[in-house]
């Protein structure tokens, strides 16, 4: 089980994590939370869900490339010039969906932090993380978001672009992020496989 998820009887998945892995995962999830930004007071715990329907979000895509990857335009190809009608449709769609999408991504990242905090609260040198099916959904969402953000920072476009990054010398400052990108990919893949078993 070390380093990869395995299915649990009755649903969910489990993975053995050492102290360093727990620390890295928690740090990455906190960085993702910082990237996504604070809530707007209209998240899933809001007392008046009807009021949330009328809260407008941003209409322009984020300037930060990693955020733009996490919250892409709904119309047109990423990075391509949109005609005015596509821009208007994309702005309208973003205005009414981005706040909820941000709230969900925030909850997914918080799910990782909470799961890991429950493990480290006992001061163990490592532990087996057991996730319920709902926890698995949050982890899959957050692992995907982490990989998208890291991949954007590393300028990984498609599989052919990434080959040279995987052969970086140890001295290259991008090497730790490449290793994190690969490791998160392995966790994500084995979690999907565990859930499909």
């Amino acid at each position: 089980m070390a380093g990869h998820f395995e299915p649990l009887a009755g649903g969910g998945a489990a993975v053995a994590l050492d102290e360093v892995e727990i620390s890295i995962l928690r740090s990455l999830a906190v960085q993702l939370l910082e990237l996504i930004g604070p809530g707007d007071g209209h998240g899933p715990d809001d007392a008046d869900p009807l009021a949330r329907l009328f809260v407008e979000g941003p209409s322009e895509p984020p300037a930060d490339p990693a955020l733009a990857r996490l919250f892409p335009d709904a119309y047109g190809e990423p990075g391509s010039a949109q005609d005015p009608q596509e821009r208007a449709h994309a702005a309208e769609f973003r205005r009414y969906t981005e706040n909820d999408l941000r709230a969900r991504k925030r909850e997914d990242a918080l799910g990782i932090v909470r799961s890991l905090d429950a493990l480290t609260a006992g001061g163990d040198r490592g532990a087996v993380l057991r996730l319920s099916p709902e926890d698995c959904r949050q982890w899959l969402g957050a692992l995907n978001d982490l990989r998208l953000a890291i991949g954007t920072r590393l300028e990984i476009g498609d599989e052919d672009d990434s080959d040279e990054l995987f052969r970086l010398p140890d001295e290259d400052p991008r090497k730790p992020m490449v290793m994190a990108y690969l490791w998160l990919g392995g966790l994500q893949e084995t979690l999907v496989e565990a859930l499909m078993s």
Side-chain angles (χ1 to χ4, degrees), residues 2-158:
H4 64 275
F5 280 95
E6 293 185 5
L8 288 175
V15 63
L17 298 170
D18 65 30
E19 191 176 279
V20 172
E21 292 168 328
I22 292 169
S23 176
I24 291 170
L25 277 169
R26 189 181 191 290
S27 174
L28 290 171
V30 167
Q31 290 176 53
L32 180 60
L33 285 166
E34 291 170 354
L35 179 66
I36 293 168
D40 59 6
H42 298 283
D45 297 330
D46 188 46
D48 185 3
L50 186 58
R52 284 182 44 218
L53 294 175
F54 300 102
V55 174
E56 292 185 13
S59 60
E60 294 297 319
D64 182 309
L67 278 175
R69 184 70 178 102
L70 292 174
F71 304 104
D73 272 339
Y75 298 92
E77 289 294 314
S80 68
Q82 294 176 319
D83 67 41
Q85 187 175 11
E86 280 182 341
R87 261 195 312 278
H89 290 309
E92 190 74 6
F93 187 81
R94 181 179 299 280
R95 183 176 299 120
Y96 294 108
T97 61
E98 188 169 315
N99 285 343
D100 287 340
L101 184 56
R102 278 182 186 265
R104 194 196 82 230
K105 289 178 180 298
R106 196 176 297 108
E107 278 302 308
D108 290 348
L110 278 170
I112 285 184
V113 172
R114 290 178 185 130
S115 299
L116 296 173
D117 284 353
L119 280 181
T120 58
D124 295 334
R125 297 187 63 74
V128 174
L129 175 69
R130 289 177 175 76
L131 300 175
S132 70
E134 175 57 23
D135 293 336
C136 289
R137 188 208 58 76
Q138 285 188 315
W139 272 70
L140 281 173
L143 288 171
N144 187 61
D145 290 342
L146 284 167
R147 292 191 77 238
L148 285 172
I150 292 170
T152 301
R153 295 285 190 243
L154 291 170
E155 299 178 352
I156 296 174
D158 58 31

Side-chain angles (χ1 to χ4, degrees), residues 143 147 179-191:
L143 288 171
R147 292 191 77 238
M179 298 307 293
Y181 179 81
L182 294 172
W183 177 55
L184 293 170
L187 286 175
Q188 185 179 24
E189 183 178 339
T190 60
L191 182 51

